[in-house]
Each structure stands twice: as C-alpha cells, then as structure tokens.
Short mmCIF file of all heavy atoms in Angstrom, two decimals:
data_model
loop_
_atom_site.label_atom_id
_atom_site.label_comp_id
_atom_site.label_asym_id
_atom_site.label_seq_id
_atom_site.Cartn_x
_atom_site.Cartn_y
_atom_site.Cartn_z
N MET A 1 -3.25 62.03 19.83
CA MET A 1 -3.44 61.45 18.52
C MET A 1 -4.47 60.32 18.63
O MET A 1 -4.36 59.45 19.48
CB MET A 1 -2.11 60.92 18.00
CG MET A 1 -2.18 60.39 16.64
SD MET A 1 -0.45 60.16 16.10
CE MET A 1 -0.69 59.67 14.48
N THR A 2 -5.45 60.34 17.76
CA THR A 2 -6.51 59.35 17.74
C THR A 2 -6.27 58.35 16.61
O THR A 2 -5.99 58.77 15.48
CB THR A 2 -7.88 60.04 17.52
OG1 THR A 2 -8.05 61.03 18.54
CG2 THR A 2 -9.00 59.05 17.58
N PRO A 3 -6.36 57.04 16.89
CA PRO A 3 -6.14 56.08 15.81
C PRO A 3 -7.25 56.15 14.76
O PRO A 3 -8.38 56.53 15.06
CB PRO A 3 -6.14 54.73 16.52
CG PRO A 3 -6.82 54.95 17.82
CD PRO A 3 -6.65 56.41 18.15
N PRO A 4 -6.94 55.79 13.51
CA PRO A 4 -7.96 55.77 12.47
C PRO A 4 -9.00 54.68 12.73
O PRO A 4 -8.74 53.74 13.48
CB PRO A 4 -7.17 55.47 11.19
CG PRO A 4 -5.83 55.04 11.61
CD PRO A 4 -5.63 55.42 13.03
N THR A 5 -10.15 54.82 12.11
CA THR A 5 -11.23 53.84 12.27
C THR A 5 -11.73 53.39 10.90
O THR A 5 -11.60 54.11 9.91
CB THR A 5 -12.42 54.45 13.05
OG1 THR A 5 -12.89 55.59 12.34
CG2 THR A 5 -12.03 54.83 14.45
N PHE A 6 -12.29 52.20 10.86
CA PHE A 6 -12.98 51.72 9.66
C PHE A 6 -14.36 52.34 9.63
O PHE A 6 -15.05 52.37 10.65
CB PHE A 6 -13.10 50.20 9.66
CG PHE A 6 -11.82 49.49 9.41
CD1 PHE A 6 -11.06 49.00 10.46
CD2 PHE A 6 -11.35 49.30 8.12
CE1 PHE A 6 -9.87 48.35 10.24
CE2 PHE A 6 -10.15 48.65 7.87
CZ PHE A 6 -9.42 48.17 8.94
N THR A 7 -14.79 52.83 8.47
CA THR A 7 -16.13 53.40 8.35
C THR A 7 -17.02 52.54 7.46
O THR A 7 -18.19 52.85 7.28
CB THR A 7 -16.06 54.83 7.79
OG1 THR A 7 -15.39 54.81 6.53
CG2 THR A 7 -15.34 55.76 8.75
N SER A 8 -16.47 51.46 6.91
CA SER A 8 -17.25 50.55 6.07
C SER A 8 -17.57 49.28 6.85
O SER A 8 -16.90 48.95 7.82
CB SER A 8 -16.47 50.21 4.81
OG SER A 8 -15.19 49.70 5.15
N THR A 9 -18.62 48.60 6.42
CA THR A 9 -19.00 47.33 7.02
C THR A 9 -18.51 46.21 6.12
O THR A 9 -18.90 46.13 4.95
CB THR A 9 -20.54 47.25 7.18
OG1 THR A 9 -20.98 48.35 7.97
CG2 THR A 9 -20.95 45.94 7.83
N PRO A 10 -17.65 45.33 6.63
CA PRO A 10 -17.08 44.30 5.77
C PRO A 10 -18.11 43.27 5.31
O PRO A 10 -19.05 42.97 6.02
CB PRO A 10 -16.02 43.65 6.66
CG PRO A 10 -16.43 43.95 8.04
CD PRO A 10 -17.16 45.26 8.00
N VAL A 11 -17.88 42.78 4.11
CA VAL A 11 -18.65 41.66 3.59
C VAL A 11 -17.94 40.42 4.12
O VAL A 11 -16.78 40.17 3.79
CB VAL A 11 -18.66 41.67 2.05
CG1 VAL A 11 -19.42 40.47 1.51
CG2 VAL A 11 -19.26 42.97 1.53
N THR A 12 -18.61 39.65 4.97
CA THR A 12 -17.95 38.56 5.68
C THR A 12 -18.24 37.18 5.12
O THR A 12 -17.87 36.17 5.72
CB THR A 12 -18.32 38.58 7.18
OG1 THR A 12 -19.74 38.47 7.30
CG2 THR A 12 -17.83 39.87 7.83
N SER A 13 -18.91 37.10 3.98
CA SER A 13 -19.14 35.80 3.37
C SER A 13 -18.81 35.87 1.88
O SER A 13 -18.88 36.92 1.27
CB SER A 13 -20.59 35.36 3.56
OG SER A 13 -21.47 36.23 2.90
N ALA A 14 -18.42 34.72 1.35
CA ALA A 14 -18.08 34.62 -0.07
C ALA A 14 -18.64 33.30 -0.59
O ALA A 14 -18.84 32.36 0.17
CB ALA A 14 -16.58 34.68 -0.26
N THR A 15 -18.87 33.26 -1.90
CA THR A 15 -19.42 32.07 -2.54
C THR A 15 -18.40 31.51 -3.52
O THR A 15 -17.79 32.27 -4.29
CB THR A 15 -20.73 32.42 -3.30
OG1 THR A 15 -21.65 33.00 -2.36
CG2 THR A 15 -21.34 31.20 -3.94
N GLN A 16 -18.24 30.21 -3.50
CA GLN A 16 -17.29 29.54 -4.40
C GLN A 16 -17.55 29.94 -5.84
O GLN A 16 -18.68 29.96 -6.31
CB GLN A 16 -17.43 28.03 -4.25
CG GLN A 16 -16.59 27.23 -5.20
CD GLN A 16 -16.89 25.74 -5.11
OE1 GLN A 16 -17.38 25.26 -4.10
NE2 GLN A 16 -16.59 25.02 -6.16
N ASP A 17 -16.48 30.27 -6.56
CA ASP A 17 -16.49 30.63 -7.98
C ASP A 17 -17.27 31.91 -8.30
O ASP A 17 -17.53 32.19 -9.46
CB ASP A 17 -17.02 29.48 -8.84
CG ASP A 17 -16.16 28.24 -8.72
OD1 ASP A 17 -14.92 28.39 -8.62
OD2 ASP A 17 -16.70 27.12 -8.72
N ALA A 18 -17.62 32.70 -7.28
CA ALA A 18 -18.32 33.98 -7.50
C ALA A 18 -17.39 35.11 -7.06
O ALA A 18 -16.78 35.03 -5.99
CB ALA A 18 -19.62 34.03 -6.71
N PRO A 19 -17.28 36.15 -7.88
CA PRO A 19 -16.41 37.27 -7.50
C PRO A 19 -16.83 37.90 -6.17
O PRO A 19 -18.02 38.08 -5.91
CB PRO A 19 -16.58 38.26 -8.65
CG PRO A 19 -17.10 37.46 -9.79
CD PRO A 19 -17.92 36.35 -9.17
N TYR A 20 -15.86 38.21 -5.36
CA TYR A 20 -16.05 38.88 -4.08
C TYR A 20 -15.39 40.25 -4.19
O TYR A 20 -14.30 40.39 -4.74
CB TYR A 20 -15.38 38.08 -2.96
CG TYR A 20 -15.31 38.81 -1.64
CD1 TYR A 20 -16.31 38.65 -0.69
CD2 TYR A 20 -14.25 39.66 -1.35
CE1 TYR A 20 -16.24 39.31 0.53
CE2 TYR A 20 -14.17 40.33 -0.14
CZ TYR A 20 -15.17 40.16 0.80
OH TYR A 20 -15.12 40.82 2.00
N SER A 21 -16.06 41.27 -3.63
CA SER A 21 -15.48 42.60 -3.61
C SER A 21 -15.98 43.37 -2.40
O SER A 21 -17.17 43.32 -2.08
CB SER A 21 -15.82 43.36 -4.90
OG SER A 21 -15.19 44.63 -4.89
N TYR A 22 -15.08 44.05 -1.75
CA TYR A 22 -15.40 44.88 -0.59
C TYR A 22 -14.47 46.08 -0.63
O TYR A 22 -13.25 45.93 -0.75
CB TYR A 22 -15.22 44.07 0.70
CG TYR A 22 -15.06 44.90 1.95
CD1 TYR A 22 -16.03 45.81 2.35
CD2 TYR A 22 -13.94 44.76 2.75
CE1 TYR A 22 -15.87 46.56 3.50
CE2 TYR A 22 -13.77 45.50 3.91
CZ TYR A 22 -14.75 46.39 4.28
OH TYR A 22 -14.60 47.14 5.43
N THR A 23 -15.04 47.27 -0.54
CA THR A 23 -14.23 48.48 -0.53
C THR A 23 -14.05 48.95 0.91
O THR A 23 -15.02 49.26 1.59
CB THR A 23 -14.88 49.59 -1.38
OG1 THR A 23 -15.03 49.11 -2.72
CG2 THR A 23 -14.03 50.84 -1.38
N VAL A 24 -12.82 48.96 1.35
CA VAL A 24 -12.48 49.39 2.70
C VAL A 24 -12.47 50.92 2.72
O VAL A 24 -11.81 51.55 1.89
CB VAL A 24 -11.08 48.87 3.09
CG1 VAL A 24 -10.70 49.34 4.49
CG2 VAL A 24 -11.02 47.35 2.99
N THR A 25 -13.20 51.49 3.66
CA THR A 25 -13.13 52.95 3.85
C THR A 25 -12.77 53.22 5.30
O THR A 25 -13.14 52.49 6.21
CB THR A 25 -14.46 53.65 3.48
OG1 THR A 25 -15.52 53.11 4.26
CG2 THR A 25 -14.78 53.49 2.01
N THR A 26 -11.99 54.27 5.48
CA THR A 26 -11.49 54.62 6.81
C THR A 26 -11.67 56.11 7.06
O THR A 26 -11.95 56.88 6.14
CB THR A 26 -9.99 54.28 6.92
OG1 THR A 26 -9.28 55.03 5.94
CG2 THR A 26 -9.74 52.80 6.74
N ASP A 27 -11.47 56.49 8.30
CA ASP A 27 -11.50 57.90 8.67
C ASP A 27 -10.42 58.14 9.72
O ASP A 27 -10.21 57.30 10.59
CB ASP A 27 -12.87 58.29 9.22
CG ASP A 27 -12.99 59.77 9.51
OD1 ASP A 27 -12.38 60.58 8.76
OD2 ASP A 27 -13.67 60.14 10.47
N ASP A 28 -9.74 59.24 9.60
CA ASP A 28 -8.76 59.63 10.60
C ASP A 28 -9.02 61.09 10.92
O ASP A 28 -8.83 61.96 10.07
CB ASP A 28 -7.34 59.43 10.07
CG ASP A 28 -6.31 59.56 11.18
OD1 ASP A 28 -6.65 60.09 12.26
OD2 ASP A 28 -5.18 59.14 10.97
N ILE A 29 -9.48 61.33 12.13
CA ILE A 29 -9.87 62.69 12.50
C ILE A 29 -8.68 63.62 12.72
O ILE A 29 -8.84 64.83 12.82
CB ILE A 29 -10.79 62.71 13.74
CG1 ILE A 29 -10.08 62.14 14.98
CG2 ILE A 29 -12.06 61.95 13.45
CD1 ILE A 29 -10.88 62.31 16.27
N ASP A 30 -7.49 63.04 12.81
CA ASP A 30 -6.29 63.87 12.98
C ASP A 30 -5.96 64.57 11.66
O ASP A 30 -5.75 63.92 10.63
CB ASP A 30 -5.09 63.04 13.44
CG ASP A 30 -5.31 62.43 14.81
OD1 ASP A 30 -5.97 63.09 15.64
OD2 ASP A 30 -4.84 61.31 15.06
N THR A 31 -5.91 65.85 11.67
CA THR A 31 -5.62 66.64 10.47
C THR A 31 -4.26 66.28 9.91
O THR A 31 -3.27 66.20 10.62
CB THR A 31 -5.67 68.14 10.80
OG1 THR A 31 -6.93 68.44 11.38
CG2 THR A 31 -5.47 68.98 9.57
N GLY A 32 -4.23 66.05 8.60
CA GLY A 32 -2.98 65.76 7.93
C GLY A 32 -2.52 64.32 8.00
O GLY A 32 -1.48 63.97 7.47
N SER A 33 -3.29 63.46 8.64
CA SER A 33 -2.90 62.05 8.75
C SER A 33 -3.35 61.27 7.52
O SER A 33 -4.42 61.51 6.97
CB SER A 33 -3.51 61.41 10.00
OG SER A 33 -3.00 62.00 11.16
N THR A 34 -2.53 60.34 7.09
CA THR A 34 -2.85 59.47 5.98
C THR A 34 -3.00 58.05 6.51
O THR A 34 -2.17 57.59 7.29
CB THR A 34 -1.73 59.50 4.92
OG1 THR A 34 -1.60 60.84 4.44
CG2 THR A 34 -2.04 58.58 3.76
N VAL A 35 -4.05 57.37 6.09
CA VAL A 35 -4.26 55.98 6.49
C VAL A 35 -3.63 55.08 5.43
O VAL A 35 -3.89 55.23 4.24
CB VAL A 35 -5.76 55.66 6.64
CG1 VAL A 35 -5.97 54.19 6.96
CG2 VAL A 35 -6.40 56.55 7.71
N THR A 36 -2.79 54.16 5.86
CA THR A 36 -2.16 53.20 4.96
C THR A 36 -2.76 51.82 5.22
O THR A 36 -2.75 51.35 6.37
CB THR A 36 -0.63 53.14 5.20
OG1 THR A 36 -0.10 54.45 4.99
CG2 THR A 36 0.03 52.16 4.26
N LEU A 37 -3.29 51.20 4.17
CA LEU A 37 -3.90 49.87 4.30
C LEU A 37 -2.88 48.79 3.98
O LEU A 37 -2.10 48.92 3.04
CB LEU A 37 -5.08 49.74 3.34
CG LEU A 37 -6.25 50.68 3.56
CD1 LEU A 37 -7.26 50.55 2.42
CD2 LEU A 37 -6.92 50.41 4.89
N THR A 38 -2.90 47.72 4.76
CA THR A 38 -2.11 46.54 4.48
C THR A 38 -2.96 45.32 4.80
O THR A 38 -3.79 45.35 5.70
CB THR A 38 -0.81 46.47 5.31
OG1 THR A 38 -1.15 46.52 6.69
CG2 THR A 38 0.14 47.59 4.98
N GLY A 39 -2.77 44.26 4.03
CA GLY A 39 -3.48 43.01 4.29
C GLY A 39 -2.50 41.98 4.80
O GLY A 39 -1.75 41.39 4.03
N THR A 40 -2.47 41.77 6.11
CA THR A 40 -1.47 40.87 6.69
C THR A 40 -1.98 39.45 6.91
O THR A 40 -1.18 38.53 7.01
CB THR A 40 -0.94 41.43 8.02
OG1 THR A 40 -2.04 41.63 8.91
CG2 THR A 40 -0.21 42.75 7.80
N THR A 41 -3.28 39.27 6.99
CA THR A 41 -3.83 37.93 7.26
C THR A 41 -5.01 37.62 6.34
O THR A 41 -5.98 37.00 6.75
CB THR A 41 -4.28 37.78 8.72
OG1 THR A 41 -5.26 38.78 9.01
CG2 THR A 41 -3.11 37.90 9.68
N ILE A 42 -4.95 38.02 5.08
CA ILE A 42 -6.04 37.72 4.15
C ILE A 42 -5.77 36.41 3.43
O ILE A 42 -4.62 36.02 3.24
CB ILE A 42 -6.27 38.88 3.14
CG1 ILE A 42 -5.02 39.13 2.30
CG2 ILE A 42 -6.72 40.14 3.84
CD1 ILE A 42 -5.21 40.16 1.21
N PRO A 43 -6.84 35.69 3.04
CA PRO A 43 -6.66 34.43 2.31
C PRO A 43 -5.91 34.66 1.00
O PRO A 43 -5.95 35.75 0.42
CB PRO A 43 -8.09 33.96 2.03
CG PRO A 43 -8.95 34.71 3.00
CD PRO A 43 -8.26 36.00 3.26
N ASN A 44 -5.25 33.61 0.50
CA ASN A 44 -4.43 33.76 -0.71
C ASN A 44 -5.25 34.04 -1.97
O ASN A 44 -4.69 34.45 -2.98
CB ASN A 44 -3.51 32.56 -0.90
CG ASN A 44 -4.25 31.27 -1.12
OD1 ASN A 44 -5.48 31.24 -1.10
ND2 ASN A 44 -3.51 30.20 -1.31
N TRP A 45 -6.56 33.82 -1.95
CA TRP A 45 -7.38 34.11 -3.14
C TRP A 45 -7.84 35.57 -3.18
O TRP A 45 -8.44 36.00 -4.16
CB TRP A 45 -8.59 33.16 -3.21
CG TRP A 45 -9.51 33.21 -2.03
CD1 TRP A 45 -9.44 32.45 -0.90
CD2 TRP A 45 -10.64 34.07 -1.86
NE1 TRP A 45 -10.45 32.80 -0.03
CE2 TRP A 45 -11.21 33.79 -0.61
CE3 TRP A 45 -11.23 35.06 -2.64
CZ2 TRP A 45 -12.33 34.45 -0.12
CZ3 TRP A 45 -12.36 35.72 -2.15
CH2 TRP A 45 -12.89 35.40 -0.91
N LEU A 46 -7.54 36.32 -2.14
CA LEU A 46 -7.93 37.74 -2.10
C LEU A 46 -6.74 38.64 -2.41
O LEU A 46 -5.59 38.32 -2.10
CB LEU A 46 -8.45 38.11 -0.70
CG LEU A 46 -9.90 37.75 -0.40
CD1 LEU A 46 -10.22 38.07 1.05
CD2 LEU A 46 -10.85 38.47 -1.32
N TYR A 47 -7.04 39.78 -3.00
CA TYR A 47 -6.03 40.80 -3.30
C TYR A 47 -6.53 42.12 -2.73
O TYR A 47 -7.68 42.50 -2.94
CB TYR A 47 -5.83 40.92 -4.81
CG TYR A 47 -5.01 42.13 -5.19
CD1 TYR A 47 -3.63 42.17 -4.97
CD2 TYR A 47 -5.62 43.25 -5.73
CE1 TYR A 47 -2.88 43.29 -5.30
CE2 TYR A 47 -4.87 44.38 -6.07
CZ TYR A 47 -3.50 44.38 -5.84
OH TYR A 47 -2.77 45.49 -6.16
N LEU A 48 -5.68 42.82 -2.00
CA LEU A 48 -6.00 44.14 -1.48
C LEU A 48 -5.28 45.19 -2.30
O LEU A 48 -4.04 45.23 -2.31
CB LEU A 48 -5.60 44.27 -0.01
CG LEU A 48 -5.79 45.66 0.60
CD1 LEU A 48 -7.25 46.09 0.58
CD2 LEU A 48 -5.24 45.71 2.02
N ASN A 49 -6.04 46.03 -2.98
CA ASN A 49 -5.47 47.16 -3.69
C ASN A 49 -5.31 48.28 -2.67
O ASN A 49 -6.30 48.87 -2.23
CB ASN A 49 -6.38 47.59 -4.84
CG ASN A 49 -5.79 48.72 -5.65
OD1 ASN A 49 -5.21 49.65 -5.12
ND2 ASN A 49 -5.97 48.65 -6.95
N THR A 50 -4.09 48.54 -2.26
CA THR A 50 -3.86 49.51 -1.20
C THR A 50 -4.08 50.96 -1.63
O THR A 50 -4.17 51.85 -0.79
CB THR A 50 -2.44 49.36 -0.62
OG1 THR A 50 -1.49 49.54 -1.67
CG2 THR A 50 -2.26 48.00 0.03
N ILE A 51 -4.19 51.19 -2.94
CA ILE A 51 -4.47 52.54 -3.45
C ILE A 51 -5.97 52.83 -3.39
O ILE A 51 -6.40 53.86 -2.88
CB ILE A 51 -3.98 52.70 -4.90
CG1 ILE A 51 -2.50 52.35 -5.03
CG2 ILE A 51 -4.29 54.10 -5.43
CD1 ILE A 51 -1.56 53.29 -4.34
N THR A 52 -6.79 51.89 -3.87
CA THR A 52 -8.24 52.10 -3.94
C THR A 52 -8.99 51.58 -2.72
O THR A 52 -10.13 51.95 -2.50
CB THR A 52 -8.83 51.40 -5.18
OG1 THR A 52 -8.66 49.98 -5.04
CG2 THR A 52 -8.19 51.89 -6.46
N GLY A 53 -8.35 50.70 -1.94
CA GLY A 53 -9.01 50.12 -0.78
C GLY A 53 -9.94 48.97 -1.13
O GLY A 53 -10.71 48.52 -0.29
N VAL A 54 -9.86 48.46 -2.37
CA VAL A 54 -10.73 47.36 -2.78
C VAL A 54 -10.07 46.02 -2.47
O VAL A 54 -8.93 45.77 -2.86
CB VAL A 54 -11.08 47.44 -4.28
CG1 VAL A 54 -11.87 46.22 -4.74
CG2 VAL A 54 -11.87 48.71 -4.58
N LEU A 55 -10.80 45.19 -1.74
CA LEU A 55 -10.40 43.83 -1.44
C LEU A 55 -11.23 42.94 -2.35
O LEU A 55 -12.47 42.97 -2.29
CB LEU A 55 -10.69 43.52 0.03
CG LEU A 55 -10.31 42.17 0.59
CD1 LEU A 55 -8.80 41.98 0.56
CD2 LEU A 55 -10.83 42.02 2.01
N SER A 56 -10.59 42.17 -3.23
CA SER A 56 -11.36 41.40 -4.21
C SER A 56 -10.67 40.09 -4.56
O SER A 56 -9.47 39.92 -4.35
CB SER A 56 -11.57 42.22 -5.48
OG SER A 56 -10.33 42.52 -6.08
N GLY A 57 -11.47 39.19 -5.11
CA GLY A 57 -10.97 37.90 -5.54
C GLY A 57 -12.12 36.95 -5.75
O GLY A 57 -13.28 37.27 -5.47
N THR A 58 -11.80 35.76 -6.22
CA THR A 58 -12.82 34.73 -6.43
C THR A 58 -12.36 33.44 -5.75
O THR A 58 -11.34 32.86 -6.16
CB THR A 58 -13.05 34.48 -7.93
OG1 THR A 58 -13.43 35.71 -8.55
CG2 THR A 58 -14.13 33.44 -8.17
N PRO A 59 -13.08 33.00 -4.72
CA PRO A 59 -12.67 31.78 -4.04
C PRO A 59 -12.99 30.55 -4.89
O PRO A 59 -14.05 30.47 -5.50
CB PRO A 59 -13.50 31.78 -2.75
CG PRO A 59 -14.71 32.58 -3.09
CD PRO A 59 -14.27 33.60 -4.10
N GLY A 60 -12.07 29.63 -4.92
CA GLY A 60 -12.29 28.38 -5.63
C GLY A 60 -12.71 27.28 -4.69
O GLY A 60 -12.84 27.48 -3.47
N ASN A 61 -12.91 26.08 -5.21
CA ASN A 61 -13.34 24.94 -4.41
C ASN A 61 -12.36 24.66 -3.29
O ASN A 61 -12.76 24.34 -2.17
CB ASN A 61 -13.49 23.71 -5.32
CG ASN A 61 -14.07 22.53 -4.58
OD1 ASN A 61 -15.06 22.65 -3.89
ND2 ASN A 61 -13.43 21.38 -4.71
N SER A 62 -11.07 24.77 -3.55
CA SER A 62 -10.07 24.48 -2.53
C SER A 62 -10.02 25.53 -1.42
O SER A 62 -9.37 25.32 -0.39
CB SER A 62 -8.69 24.36 -3.16
OG SER A 62 -8.30 25.59 -3.75
N ASP A 63 -10.71 26.65 -1.59
CA ASP A 63 -10.72 27.71 -0.59
C ASP A 63 -11.84 27.56 0.44
O ASP A 63 -11.94 28.35 1.37
CB ASP A 63 -10.84 29.08 -1.27
CG ASP A 63 -9.69 29.33 -2.20
OD1 ASP A 63 -8.53 29.12 -1.78
OD2 ASP A 63 -9.94 29.70 -3.37
N LEU A 64 -12.69 26.54 0.25
CA LEU A 64 -13.81 26.34 1.19
C LEU A 64 -13.39 25.62 2.43
O LEU A 64 -12.46 24.91 2.48
CB LEU A 64 -14.94 25.58 0.50
CG LEU A 64 -15.52 26.27 -0.73
CD1 LEU A 64 -16.60 25.40 -1.34
CD2 LEU A 64 -16.07 27.62 -0.37
#
C-alpha cells in the first residue's frame, strides 16, 4: 500500500485583511482508496472544507 501524496503546491503567504484561498489536491495510486483531509494544525482564521479541499479565510491584524 502506497500512502497518498499532495499534488498541489500550497500558497504559503497571506496578506492581512485579504482573502486567502488554496485548494488542496491529492492523489492515491491505490485503487479504491479515498483520501480524507483533516486540518490539525491550521491557524484559527483558516477553515478547511474537507469535502472540496478548499482552505480559506481572511487573516486579521491580530493574526500577524
């Protein structure tokens, strides 16, 4: 069994008061395998939609 991999390149910078969005894409070469996304260490201003793979939010002044 081969572990899944990320196929997208993350957006690693954000701007105060500007919307941030990054779509996580993955690949699992094992037939029939489903990749489940979880956000265990993301900042509190970000939200991970585990259905669409979109990580989004708007950082405020206190998030800098």
Side-chain angles (χ1 to χ4, degrees):
M1 184 168 185
T2 304
T5 58
F6 287 98
T7 57
S8 55
T9 302
V11 178
T12 58
S13 64
T15 303
Q16 176 186 336
D17 299 323
Y20 170 93
S21 183
Y22 160 58
T23 301
V24 178
T25 57
T26 61
D27 185 34
D28 192 344
I29 62 172
D30 296 326
T31 305
S33 295
T34 300
V35 176
T36 302
L37 297 172
T38 57
T40 57
T41 58
I42 60 175
N44 63 358
W45 59 269
L46 279 175
Y47 169 74
L48 175 61
N49 183 320
T50 58
I51 305 293
T52 65
V54 174
L55 182 65
S56 62
T58 302
N61 186 49
S62 63
D63 300 311
L64 300 179

